[in-house]
């Protein structure tokens, strides 16, 4: 069965990673790398390679190696958008050079996530070169819009029925050997406090105005003291839900210094553990605001939802988890660790579409930073694990 590894081009995986790093793909400008990847996949011998746009000029790459039928299908998922390099002087290496130094490939998006994508492509190539079609389909989706949590990447593909699979591997983590089985969620709210305006003046007992900022301050204290109900989750030991208040905060645009502010708008970021219901959390926050209104007598709030991503989780007994864990140990002699993901990701779209997946891939904390890099050894390891997993899962 390790047979598949004989067809795996490890050196090619590193070369492909370098090649992809050399094609910049900041958010909104992913087309060049998408077109290049589609060309690579065609040359690799995938059966169907298409570019699908959820937004004009931002194509997603979709490819398939067709199985003979009757088996489980597997999705290899990666995102192709990336952050800009930021301040050039903070880099000691060329952000788009794809250079190798001390056993690492350097450059923007090298870790996040050209390395994982290269591993996926070479794993697919190994299956094709081996020449025996598996039962299930291998699907590869390399998408835009992940970095900004937007809907035009994998969200668009699953919504429109382009991608279906029984399991998914999302090719990046923060530590090699981690299998991230669950994502936390978020809820973003914009709350406006409505007061009564007046010119600022000496205080008297006669009430002429209501300061919207003072009422917002009271609400912030009340909301941040809330204990949102949750069940402790084994993958998120020591972590609990929380509200970050006032991530942005403003009075009216042309507010005068000498006028009582009658509007104060603040945004709130709420983080949720798997098992929590986003609607219920929203209702708790709404109730707290109503409570403050009646206690205070003058406070008035409107609550608007900006965005949400509920927490998601792949069942702990899903076969893809064991498949990865077994093959990671086979390749490295080390045990994989099943963990939770403190943030959200495109797993939100996948899991909500019934495509149960986990993050597994090259990992470090160098993404989004100057001198982003990935260890060559990690590229080799994940390419091997991906090839073995595809083999096990698709032939089962
Ligand atoms: Zn990423």
């Amino acid at each position: 069965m390790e047979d598949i590894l004989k067809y795996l081009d490890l050196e090619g995986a590193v070369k492909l990673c370098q090649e992809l790093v050399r094609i910049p793909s900041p958010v909104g400008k992913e087309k060049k790398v998408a077109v290049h990847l589609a060309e690579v996949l065609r040359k690799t011998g995938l059966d169907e390679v298409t570019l699908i746009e959820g937004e004009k000029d931002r194509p997603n790459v979709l490819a398939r190696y067709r199985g003979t039928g009757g088996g489980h299908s597997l999705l290899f998922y990666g995102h192709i958008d990336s952050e800009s390099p930021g301040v050039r002087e903070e880099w000691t290496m060329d952000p788009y050079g794809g250079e190798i130094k001390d056993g690492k490939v350097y450059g923007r998006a090298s870790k996040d996530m050209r390395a994982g994508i290269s591993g996926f492509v070479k794993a697919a190539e190994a299956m094709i070169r081996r020449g025996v079609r598996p039962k299930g389909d291998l699907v590869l989706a390399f998408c835009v819009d992940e970095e900004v949590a937007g809907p035009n990447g994998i969200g668009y593909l699953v919504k429109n029925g382009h991608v279906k699979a029984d399991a998914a591997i999302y090719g990046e983590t923060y530590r090699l050997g981690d299998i991230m089985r669950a994502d936390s969620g978020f809820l973003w709210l914009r709350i406006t406090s409505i007061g009564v305006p007046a010119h600022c003046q000496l205080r008297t007992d006669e009430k002429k105005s209501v300061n919207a900022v003072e009422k917002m301050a009271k609400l912030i204290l009340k909301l941040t003291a809330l204990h949102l109900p949750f069940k402790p989750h084994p993958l998120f030991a020591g972590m609990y839900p929380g509200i970050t208040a006032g991530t942005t905060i403003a009075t009216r645009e042309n507010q005068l210094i000498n006028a009582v502010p009658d509007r104060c708008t603040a945004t709130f970021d709420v983080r949720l553990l798997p098992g929590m219901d986003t609607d219920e959390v929203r209702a708790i926050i709404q109730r707290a605001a109503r409570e403050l209104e009646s206690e205070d007598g003058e406070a008035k709030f409107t609550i608007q939802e900006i965005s949400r991503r509920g927490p998601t989780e792949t069942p702990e007994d899903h076969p893809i988890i064991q498949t990865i864990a077994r093959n990671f140990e086979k390749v490295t002699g080390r045990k994989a660790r099943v963990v939770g993901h403190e943030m959200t990701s495109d797993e939100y779209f996948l899991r909500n579409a019934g495509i149960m997946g986990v993050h597994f891939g090259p990992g470090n904390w160098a993404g989004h930073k100057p001198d982003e890099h990935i260890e060559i050894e990690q590229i080799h390891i994940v390419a091997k694990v991906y090839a073995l997993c595809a083999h096990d899962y698709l032939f089962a």
Side-chain angles (χ1 to χ4, degrees):
M1 190 246 290
E2 280 91 36
D3 191 27
I4 183 88
L5 296 184
K6 282 199 301 216
Y7 301 91
L8 185 62
D9 175 11
L10 292 177
E11 212 175 299
V14 177
K15 283 216 175 82
L16 179 58
C17 180
Q18 292 178 279
E19 190 178 307
L20 294 174
V21 166
R22 292 182 189 128
I23 308 173
S25 64
V27 175
K29 296 202 173 72
E30 306 91 349
K31 191 169 179 172
K32 238 174 137 181
V33 81
V35 169
H36 182 79
L37 259 173
E39 199 43 47
V40 168
L41 290 167
R42 268 183 211 114
K43 281 192 193 139
T44 301
L46 274 296
D47 297 312
E48 296 162 29
V49 181
T50 46
L51 291 170
I52 300 173
E53 291 181 356
E55 187 182 345
K56 197 173 156 19
D57 285 332
R58 298 187 71 198
N60 299 292
V61 187
L62 185 60
R64 186 184 304 273
Y65 181 51
R66 267 193 304 273
T68 53
H72 294 300
S73 52
L74 175 65
L75 168 68
F76 281 162
Y77 173 74
H79 68 84
I80 55 173
D81 57 337
S82 56
E83 212 184 334
S84 294
V87 182
R88 179 65 181 82
E89 290 69 39
E90 289 176 6
W91 288 73
T92 66
M93 305 290 279
D94 178 352
Y96 295 120
E99 296 160 276
I100 290 176
K101 197 179 121 189
D102 302 331
K104 297 167 190 155
V105 176
Y106 278 84
R108 173 54 80 230
S110 53
K111 179 264 164 184
D112 185 12
M113 53 179 288
R114 309 299 207 229
I117 288 175
S118 304
F120 284 149
V121 173
K122 290 297 163 182
E125 183 187 67
M127 292 219 92
I128 295 167
R129 282 163 65 166
R130 187 165 171 269
V132 186
R133 283 204 185 251
K135 286 196 265 178
D137 285 6
L138 178 64
V139 184
L140 293 85
F142 302 142
C143 298
V144 303
D145 233 7
E146 197 259 9
E147 294 290 0
V148 289
N152 296 310
I154 191 69
Y156 181 86
L157 297 187
V158 294
K159 191 173 139 204
N160 291 285
H162 296 296
V163 173
K164 288 193 183 79
D166 296 305
I169 302 178
Y170 196 127
E172 67 169 334
T173 56
Y174 303 105
R175 203 189 78 140
L176 179 69
D178 280 359
I179 298 173
M180 301 199 294
R181 178 172 75 76
D183 273 18
S184 63
F186 71 74
L187 170 67
W188 289 345
L189 299 174
R190 180 182 293 114
I191 303 185
T192 301
S193 161
I194 300 164
V196 176
H199 199 286
C200 296
Q201 56 189 280
L202 287 173
R203 290 208 152 177
T204 63
D205 290 337
E206 196 191 342
K207 194 82 193 174
K208 294 199 179 87
S209 62
V210 174
N211 185 335
V213 175
E214 286 175 18
K215 303 304 177 193
M216 180 60 83
K218 279 177 125 178
L219 182 67
I220 286 175
L221 293 177
K222 191 170 174 95
L223 293 186
T224 47
L226 277 180
H227 291 289
L228 298 172
F230 73 103
K231 273 220 317 269
H233 192 291
L235 296 181
F236 296 89
M239 295 179 217
Y240 41 88
I243 302 180
T244 306
T247 49
T248 68
I249 191 156
T251 54
R252 277 192 194 278
E253 208 178 322
N254 295 312
Q255 175 70 40
L256 298 174
I257 292 178
N258 58 353
V260 176
D262 70 320
R263 286 289 185 282
C264 179
T265 300
T267 51
F268 294 75
D269 176 296
V270 190
R271 296 286 156 162
L272 313 171
L273 281 180
M276 292 176 73
D277 178 350
T278 317
D279 283 325
E280 199 184 309
V281 171
R282 206 193 130 140
I284 290 170
I285 291 171
Q286 253 155 351
R287 250 190 334 265
R290 297 290 93 90
E291 239 173 65
L292 178 59
E293 284 175 347
S294 56
E295 285 159 17
D296 182 274
E298 288 176 335
K300 194 165 177 297
F301 303 104
T302 59
I303 301 179
Q304 188 197 348
E305 183 171 323
I306 303 168
S307 182
R308 68 161 75 187
R309 269 190 177 190
T312 60
E313 184 168 13
T314 290
E316 77 189 303
D317 60 354
H318 193 287
I320 193 64
I321 298 173
Q322 269 320 307
T323 305
I324 296 171
R326 188 177 61 243
N327 286 312
F328 178 71
E329 192 170 353
K330 194 178 286 171
V331 170
T332 64
R334 287 166 21 214
K335 291 235 181 286
R337 195 174 71 145
V338 179
V339 298
H341 184 206
E342 295 91 331
M343 288 173 270
T344 70
S345 69
D346 275 351
E347 294 280 13
Y348 171 78
F349 294 115
L350 292 168
R351 292 183 185 136
N352 279 319
I355 303 174
M356 287 302 158
V358 293
H359 279 75
F360 173 83
N364 60 34
W365 287 97
H368 296 246
K369 292 187 182 135
D371 283 346
E372 179 177 346
H373 60 268
I374 190 67
E375 293 75 8
I376 288 173
E377 194 198 359
Q378 289 211 37
I379 300 177
H380 291 175
I381 291 169
V382 299
K384 287 182 196 168
V385 177
Y386 291 159
L388 290 168
C389 286
H391 181 277
D392 284 5
Y393 200 77
L394 297 171
F395 279 96

